[in-house]
Amino acid sequence: MANRNMHQARMLGANSPQLGRRGTDSPAALELTSANKGSPAQPHQQSPAPEQSEGPAEETGEGPSKMTLDLARFRKPGEKTFTQRSRLFVGSLPLDITEQEFKNLFAKYGSINEVFINRERGFGFVCLETRTLAEIAKVELDGIVLNNRPLKVRFATHGAALKVRNLLPVVTNELLEQAFSEFGQVERAVVVTDDRGRSTGRGIVEFATKVAARKALERCNEGAMLLTTTPCPAIVEPMEHLDDEDGLPEKILPKTPKYYKEREQPPRFAQPGTFEFEYASRWKALDEMEKQQREQVDRNIKEAREKLEAELEAAKNEHQLMLMRQDLMRRQEELRRLEELRNQELQRRKQIEMRHEEERRRREEEMMRHREQDDLRRQPDGFIPNYHENGQN
């Protein structure tokens, strides 16, 4: 990807006028426009050329036409814009440069954001829309002369990036971003893979702010963040920033007395039997010893990891059995409780039926007592039934 972007940058740079380093008689001027950024990317369109006369352009005095490119084509599908990855450091700025002049340097590369200038120390920062545009701007602007000062354009250090280790093979970019999004906005989350696309167990998480990165680092170090079912915690560390693109050019290395002393001899192979060969051999022996010790440490760690994985698997099975026993006991307890509730309900219903029966008998006795009282009230006054005479007759 980087090579392709560099190739695009060279193609664009070859046709783009620049300050100091390139002349103004470039055969074509390439103009980047950011119109309709919100709309989908459109094919490259060439602006209409001026009306051509019957003679060649040299005779008419008209220059070549400008080609217009849609900046949306420099944005990957789903790529987030104005991230820390597209932030540039610009050094060796003229002390009297204005903010508008600084913006004009990057105007052709689309919209810009987070402009900062330190005039006392002669440096500044600027954030472009995408990483690709930042790479193109870096290639074209690095080394140009502005007010007799060659600019130094580099990618700014990402201060909110974290390195994540101990990732299982099932962890993907999306899962990594989802897990760390609870600490703040994640600009990029990537699982590092080998040349065959297999996970190396390491990843990179880049936050939008340092506060979110610090929160994630502290929380993961204090606790154990699990990304999958297996209790294998993610190990989070600050990202070590290395420059493997520009490296250390000769022009920026300080020329100290030690520099000149070490450069007295050119690159060479030490001759056997010499002082140089003896100590070079000792350096190589020390490196070999370090290599062997590192390999031994790696073997010990690998054995310990395999042992831990085996213990974990056995513990998982035992834990699963324990959960099954607990679930069985819970179900039995639930059945016992339901049986008790059922018995209580039956007892309650029986008591209700008994109360109803007693109430029914009480009502019947009350009715009989009322009936007898009514019969007594219906008889004539002074009438005494002679049950004995009636019995004799």
Side-chain angles (χ1 to χ4, degrees):
M1 180 62 190
N3 294 335
R4 184 167 70 253
N5 293 337
M6 291 300 100
H7 179 65
Q8 293 177 353
R10 293 190 187 98
M11 293 178 61
L12 296 176
N15 298 323
S16 177
Q18 291 190 358
L19 300 176
R21 192 168 55 184
R22 294 181 177 87
T24 57
D25 54 349
S26 175
L30 187 63
E31 181 181 355
L32 301 179
T33 62
S34 56
N36 300 328
K37 285 187 175 59
S39 61
Q42 300 296 331
H44 291 288
Q45 296 181 355
Q46 186 170 0
S47 58
E51 296 183 359
Q52 297 182 357
S53 60
E54 297 179 357
E58 290 79 0
E59 296 179 0
T60 60
E62 296 180 357
S65 61
K66 293 183 180 180
M67 184 173 62
T68 302
L69 295 180
D70 186 1
L71 291 183
R73 297 190 62 86
F74 291 90
R75 185 190 309 166
K76 302 176 185 177
E79 180 182 7
K80 298 178 181 179
T81 58
F82 299 110
T83 64
Q84 296 292 320
R85 282 175 49 81
S86 59
R87 190 165 174 257
L88 293 174
F89 165 83
V90 184
S92 190
L93 287 173
L95 302 182
D96 59 347
I97 189 171
T98 64
E99 182 175 333
Q100 187 59 43
E101 291 174 344
F102 185 69
K103 291 181 178 180
N104 291 340
L105 287 174
F106 299 90
K108 61 178 289 186
Y109 306 104
S111 301
I112 59 178
N113 194 9
E114 298 181 12
V115 176
F116 172 80
I117 302 176
N118 188 325
R119 294 183 179 84
E120 296 180 356
R121 303 181 60 181
F123 70 87
F125 291 94
V126 62
C127 185
L128 299 183
E129 186 173 0
T130 64
R131 174 79 177 190
T132 303
L133 292 173
E135 290 176 349
I136 296 174
K138 175 181 174 297
V139 171
E140 291 194 352
L141 298 181
D142 183 36
I144 68 171
V145 178
L146 185 62
N147 293 350
N148 297 324
R149 302 186 61 158
L151 298 184
K152 299 177 182 178
V153 183
R154 300 287 185 271
F155 278 103
T157 301
H158 200 308
L162 298 177
K163 178 173 60 176
V164 186
R165 298 188 291 106
N166 212 33
L167 299 178
L168 295 180
V170 297
V171 177
T172 60
N173 301 340
E174 292 78 6
L175 179 59
L176 192 63
E177 179 176 358
Q178 175 188 351
F180 283 86
S181 294
E182 66 173 281
F183 305 108
Q185 180 182 355
V186 175
E187 292 185 344
R188 190 174 75 110
V190 177
V191 175
V192 181
T193 60
D194 58 14
D195 56 348
R196 296 185 179 181
R198 297 174 299 188
S199 173
T200 61
R202 301 188 305 272
I204 299 173
V205 178
E206 297 175 353
F207 288 94
T209 63
K210 293 182 180 180
V211 176
R214 183 165 55 252
K215 181 180 178 182
L217 182 62
E218 294 176 354
R219 185 69 180 85
C220 292
N221 288 338
E222 293 174 356
M225 185 176 189
L226 306 179
L227 305 185
T228 59
T229 304
T230 302
C232 182
I235 308 300
V236 181
E237 300 171 341
M239 186 71 180
E240 182 181 4
H241 299 280
L242 301 175
D243 184 1
D244 57 357
E245 294 183 3
D246 298 319
L248 183 60
E250 184 76 22
K251 61 182 179 180
I252 68 173
L253 183 65
K255 304 304 187 288
T256 62
K258 185 177 181 180
Y259 166 87
Y260 290 107
K261 183 178 180 180
E262 292 293 338
R263 292 299 186 90
E264 291 177 354
Q265 295 290 339
R268 64 202 179 282
F269 280 97
Q271 297 298 323
T274 62
F275 170 83
E276 292 179 336
F277 187 83
E278 177 185 355
Y279 277 86
S281 300
R282 293 175 64 176
W283 276 110
K284 293 185 67 175
L286 179 62
D287 182 76
E288 183 65 24
M289 182 179 66
E290 180 183 2
K291 178 181 177 182
Q292 293 176 1
Q293 292 182 358
R294 289 183 181 275
E295 290 176 351
Q296 183 62 39
V297 171
D298 291 341
R299 286 193 294 269
N300 294 341
I301 293 178
K302 182 179 179 180
E303 292 176 359
R305 185 183 295 272
E306 292 175 351
K307 181 181 178 181
L308 180 60
E309 290 176 352
E311 293 176 354
L312 174 61
E313 190 65 25
K316 285 173 61 177
N317 295 334
E318 183 65 25
H319 182 68
Q320 190 68 21
L321 289 175
M322 183 186 68
L323 293 179
M324 293 175 63
R325 294 192 194 99
Q326 292 178 352
D327 184 66
L328 179 60
M329 295 176 61
R330 183 184 60 80
R331 291 175 180 272
Q332 291 177 349
E333 180 66 20
E334 184 70 17
L335 290 175
R336 186 188 64 80
R337 190 176 65 83
L338 291 176
E339 185 67 20
E340 289 182 356
L341 292 176
R342 178 174 175 274
N343 293 335
Q344 292 176 3
E345 181 67 17
L346 292 176
Q347 187 68 18
R348 187 180 65 83
R349 290 182 179 180
K350 184 176 181 181
Q351 292 177 356
I352 293 175
E353 291 177 356
M354 291 177 62
R355 286 198 299 269
H356 288 173
E357 183 66 21
E358 292 178 357
E359 182 69 19
R360 185 180 63 80
R361 288 198 300 267
R362 187 183 63 79
R363 286 198 299 268
E364 290 180 352
E365 292 176 354
E366 185 71 19
M367 292 176 63
M368 293 177 63
R369 191 162 53 250
H370 290 167
R371 190 178 300 116
E372 291 177 355
Q373 292 176 357
D374 291 343
D375 291 342
L376 291 175
R377 283 196 298 269
R378 291 193 187 96
Q379 293 178 0
D381 294 340
F383 174 76
I384 299 176
N386 190 354
Y387 298 105
H388 179 71
E389 292 179 357
N390 291 339
Q392 290 180 354
N393 295 334

